[in-house]
Amino acid sequence: MTIWYGGDYNPEQWPERIWDDDVRLMQKCGVNLVTVGVFSWASLEPAEGEFHFEWLDKVLDKLYEGGISVNLATATASPPPWLTHNHPEVLPVTADGVRLAPGSRQHYCPSSPVYRRLAARLVTAIAERYGRHPALRLWHVNNEYGCHVRHCYCDVSAQAFRGWLERKYRTIHELNAAWAGTFWSQVYGGFEEIYPPRTAPTFKNPTQLLDFDRFSSDELLDCYRREREILRAMSPDVPITTNFLGVSKNVDYWSWSPEVDLVSYDSYPDPGDEEAPAKSAMGHDLMRSLRGGQPWLLMEQSPGAVSWFPHNLPKPPGQQRAWSYQAIARGADGVLFFQWRQSVAGAERFVTGLLPHVGTDSRVWREGQDLGAELATMGRVVGSRLDSRVGIAFDWDSWWSIEQPALPATLSYWDGLFAWYRELYARNVVADFVAPSGDLSGYGVVIVPSLFVTSSATAANLDAFVEHGGQLLVTYQTGIADKNAHLMPDGYLGGLRATLGIWIEEFAPLPPAATATIGGELLGDVVGHLWSEYVHAVDAEVLARFKGEPLDGWPALTRRRAGAGMAWYLATMPEPSARGTLIEHLLDEAGIAAGPPPLPTGVEAVRRGELLFVINHSGADVRLSLPGTDLLTGREGGELTLARHGVAILDQRAAGS
């Protein structure tokens, strides 16, 4: 078994005379898997119903003869000009009623029957021709669903939305009850009266907004399923995937992940962001978590600079390698790049390729070649898994709801997740992301950041986790609304009130520049940000209180013992040092050890299977004392020096670790 290594290959952008050179250089670089055809619809079907496969035949044959496997795309992510010219009704429409034009990509309405019919015809033709090609190892459906067109508000989408609502609610009476139609005179007489939440005079119905987010995720998923079923019928033994977008608001990956055979995604952290290693790690951990720890595939990353940040910095020497190993450490069985040969034209011509404009006499090429040679020796990693006893609850309904308008404050769900994830990352504690209603039995600590939408079943699941010995940390803006976006009728927190032993009288969100001081024996005197509220402790212990007006003396941090576990509640976002202190206390209470012995700031250590990956993200060389044999250098012993962006993979079995 080997780690997949390679990237997007777009031979249709280049003359045939260089294809042989591509294969030769791929072999030299250690490439064993390339993604082909992602944006090739216009080349495969240059006119409606007129298919040209001869060029792709040659490409796949050359790759196979060169020992390079293919991740073959269905090419449906970017309709060709003839399609939108002949069928302009497939173009998506914004909430303002603007019909988006072709000339970019993802310019299609996911609900369009014309788009779906023509996409299915293309996929059928591709699958019939290549479903048994010896180079084929993986099917790649579409590309980055929802990246640019997450919602469409056209009349076709409106009709599809009505059908989705009718299947969900069955009667208009049930919909009116769920949508609270009596507010602002929004009682519908029939499903035909309902439209998508287009631009309106002021705030729109919160339940309609949430249902439209759910519908839009489901419509894109239905597009994926239709293509997948064609592929499944014609090549049943070939795994099928589509590339996710990481920690993204666009679609609900809990509902998507059971539909793919292999989770894959694209990761493009900004080299100029000092938090980039932690942010990319969070994406990796989410991808691993979506299918219960199954190894996954990093479908795209950049070997150097990209072109969509305000300032597009190159990756410094070694960072391409370090970030690739970070993905492998956190469960990836393959690391691919966008793209193989850097484009000289088009919107992404400044995005670096493994083979950049200047060719092989370049640092990017040499680093890619060296990485390919190293990964060829790392087959023992493939298929191994990570163990984690810490879970972070992640919920797309809550993300969509907490960022709607007309709420007590403007909050970022992503920022709240990352604030807690980062403290675990800094302590080299691997975390899983968990569906709040899923199985929590394997965890000692579960953190619940702003679970705005909390069903009674979810509240019962979290309560059972505590009763069976878990440490549960719940933060502000949890348990605010039910699945219909209605506020809890018995008060904020709903079913979690008894678990936490508190109730909330009133919110007091902090203005952007304001802070609140909280103090207590566990955290000391620290600063809180973003939020505060009036909390009543019923049978919970108060561990920290707000200090100073207007909340002076009100609880800020509480704890209640329930069964064999403890339920904690935090009514503000404390400064990082206080979050770290609280995390360490929770881990200690749960008997969970932090990562390896204390390491310098910026050094990441992750154990995958029997191997310990150590990665130096800091800006300087570091000297470490860790036992084991480094698989990359063969060096044995406890003293280890890692250069900036250096990596060690330690087999510690002989050392008894």
Side-chain angles (χ1 to χ4, degrees):
M1 301 179 73
T2 58
I3 291 176
W4 278 337
Y5 181 64
D8 276 44
Y9 179 39
N10 299 289
E12 67 273 22
Q13 297 180 11
W14 301 93
E16 184 177 345
R17 58 184 166 78
I18 70 169
W19 293 350
D20 286 332
D21 202 39
D22 278 330
V23 173
R24 178 183 64 82
L25 290 173
M26 286 177 189
Q27 292 171 323
K28 191 174 181 180
C29 193
V31 168
N32 57 31
L33 181 72
V34 291
T35 303
V36 179
V38 174
F39 297 113
S40 63
W41 194 340
S43 298
L44 294 171
E45 191 180 4
E48 187 163 0
E50 181 182 312
F51 294 102
H52 290 188
F53 288 115
E54 295 78 11
W55 68 271
L56 187 54
D57 293 344
K58 294 177 183 178
V59 168
L60 296 193
D61 289 347
K62 288 178 184 293
L63 291 168
Y64 176 68
E65 291 164 5
I68 299 164
S69 297
V70 170
N71 171 33
L72 186 56
T74 59
T76 54
S78 189
W82 62 258
L83 194 157
T84 51
H85 177 76
N86 295 348
H87 308 282
E89 68 274 17
V90 308
L91 292 167
V93 174
T94 69
D96 292 330
V98 176
R99 188 172 292 276
L100 299 178
S104 180
R105 67 179 194 178
Q106 287 194 359
H107 44 282
Y108 63 87
C109 164
S111 301
S112 167
V114 175
Y115 166 78
R116 292 186 177 198
R117 173 176 59 81
L118 295 174
R121 185 177 67 182
L122 174 66
V123 175
T124 301
I126 292 173
E128 286 176 339
R129 195 171 188 98
Y130 301 114
R132 298 190 182 277
H133 194 284
L136 181 64
R137 290 293 177 272
L138 189 65
W139 283 113
H140 180 336
V141 175
N142 202 279
N143 186 72
E144 296 181 339
Y145 278 105
C147 181
H148 310 298
V149 179
R150 177 183 164 211
H151 298 134
C152 178
Y153 298 82
C154 72
D155 288 342
V156 172
S157 295
Q159 188 62 35
F161 184 41
R162 295 177 192 120
W164 184 91
L165 292 170
E166 192 163 5
R167 289 188 296 274
K168 178 177 181 178
Y169 293 108
R170 299 186 180 275
T171 70
I172 198 65
H173 173 76
E174 291 298 322
L175 179 138
N176 282 323
W179 284 21
T182 53
F183 185 84
W184 282 0
S185 188
Q186 293 177 4
V187 177
Y188 292 96
F191 287 98
E192 69 278 1
E193 298 177 3
I194 300 172
Y195 291 87
R198 296 166 175 164
T199 300
T202 186
F203 303 120
K204 288 169 270 190
N205 185 309
T207 318
Q208 182 183 15
L209 289 172
L210 179 56
D211 269 343
F212 195 66
D213 281 325
R214 292 163 170 161
F215 156 79
S216 298
S217 178
D218 286 352
E219 281 296 273
L220 288 166
L221 179 55
D222 193 49
C223 286
Y224 164 81
R225 285 191 184 118
R226 288 167 183 262
E227 295 190 26
R228 181 199 61 188
E229 291 313 304
I230 295 169
L231 301 174
R232 184 83 74 224
M234 296 187 178
S235 56
D237 298 326
V238 180
I240 302 171
T241 190
T242 185
N243 46 339
F244 294 168
L245 288 165
V247 189
S248 166
K249 184 179 181 180
N250 295 345
V251 299
D252 178 357
Y253 288 139
W254 289 126
S255 63
W256 279 65
S257 56
E259 307 286 348
V260 298
D261 297 319
L262 171 72
V263 167
S264 66
Y265 96 113
D266 303 343
S267 177
Y268 290 100
D270 184 353
D273 181 358
E274 64 180 13
E275 298 283 12
K279 291 175 180 177
S280 61
M282 185 164 81
H284 301 342
D285 286 345
L286 176 60
M287 294 303 108
R288 185 190 66 253
S289 302
L290 288 173
R291 285 180 62 90
Q294 175 185 305
W296 51 278
L297 173 64
L298 180 55
M299 184 73 79
E300 291 183 24
Q301 60 176 331
S302 175
V306 295
S307 61
W308 47 80
F309 298 128
H311 296 86
N312 294 284
L313 301 179
K315 289 182 177 177
Q319 193 174 74
Q320 173 196 136
R321 175 176 179 259
W323 285 3
S324 295
Y325 276 117
Q326 183 193 53
I328 293 168
R330 293 181 179 272
D333 273 357
V335 289
L336 310 182
F337 290 87
F338 181 85
Q339 56 180 323
W340 162 248
R341 184 184 285 270
Q342 185 174 359
S343 300
V344 296
E348 293 180 318
R349 64 195 189 279
F350 288 108
V351 180
T352 311
L354 275 172
L355 183 61
H357 291 147
V358 295
T360 58
D361 188 15
S362 62
R363 174 178 66 85
V364 168
W365 165 264
R366 288 188 289 272
E367 289 190 16
Q369 185 178 27
D370 291 345
L371 178 60
E374 278 187 349
L375 293 181
T377 70
M378 291 287 111
R380 64 185 290 187
V381 176
V382 175
S384 60
R385 296 195 173 212
L386 287 79
D387 293 321
S388 173
R389 293 195 59 219
V390 179
I392 302 176
F394 192 123
D395 178 60
W396 270 270
D397 277 359
S398 292
W399 193 342
W400 294 329
S401 295
I402 203 171
E403 295 186 1
Q404 289 183 2
L407 268 68
T410 300
L411 297 173
S412 164
Y413 185 72
W414 193 100
D415 287 349
L417 284 173
F418 182 68
W420 292 101
Y421 178 88
R422 192 197 178 287
E423 298 311 317
L424 293 163
Y425 172 84
R427 287 156 180 79
N428 285 308
V429 175
V430 174
D432 290 342
F433 288 93
V434 296
S437 58
D439 182 8
L440 306 178
S441 60
Y443 301 101
V445 173
V446 170
I447 302 170
V448 183
S450 299
L451 188 64
F452 191 90
V453 175
T454 308
S455 68
S456 57
T458 293
N461 192 48
L462 297 175
D463 182 75
F465 170 74
V466 177
E467 290 286 338
H468 288 92
Q471 299 287 322
L472 178 72
L473 173 62
V474 175
T475 80
Y476 57 88
Q477 287 294 274
T478 292
I480 305 304
D482 65 13
K483 65 180 182 179
N484 291 325
H486 298 188
L487 300 187
M488 299 296 184
D490 53 348
Y492 303 128
L493 295 174
L496 288 174
R497 290 176 66 174
T499 305
L500 296 166
I502 62 172
W503 63 280
I504 300 168
E505 179 179 340
E506 190 176 2
F507 299 147
L510 298 171
T515 60
T517 301
I518 62 174
E521 184 176 346
L522 178 62
L523 301 181
D525 287 345
V526 297
V527 171
H529 301 269
L530 300 175
W531 194 262
S532 63
E533 57 193 14
Y534 294 89
V535 175
H536 293 265
V538 179
D539 58 351
E541 179 184 4
V542 178
L543 300 178
R545 296 181 182 274
F546 289 103
K547 301 177 73 173
E549 296 301 328
L551 277 84
D552 189 53
W554 285 82
L557 174 65
T558 64
R559 178 179 65 189
R560 176 179 178 269
R561 183 174 295 279
M566 293 184 183
W568 304 67
Y569 183 76
L570 187 58
T572 189
M573 175 64 78
E575 61 187 84
S577 63
R579 295 198 300 270
T581 298
L582 185 52
I583 286 287
E584 291 172 359
H585 193 80
L586 291 168
L587 295 174
D588 185 62
E589 290 284 343
I592 300 173
L599 297 175
T601 300
V603 177
E604 176 179 356
V606 180
R607 187 176 299 281
R608 178 180 178 185
E610 61 189 21
L611 301 176
L612 181 68
F613 289 73
V614 186
I615 306 168
N616 179 16
H617 299 292
S618 74
D621 295 358
V622 295
R623 190 167 182 82
L624 310 173
S625 180
L626 291 169
T629 301
D630 183 4
L631 300 188
L632 298 176
T633 64
R635 183 170 180 174
E636 298 182 9
E639 297 300 320
L640 178 68
T641 299
L642 284 184
R644 182 188 183 197
H645 302 305
V647 178
I649 304 176
L650 301 177
D651 186 342
Q652 298 182 323
R653 289 175 300 172
S657 298

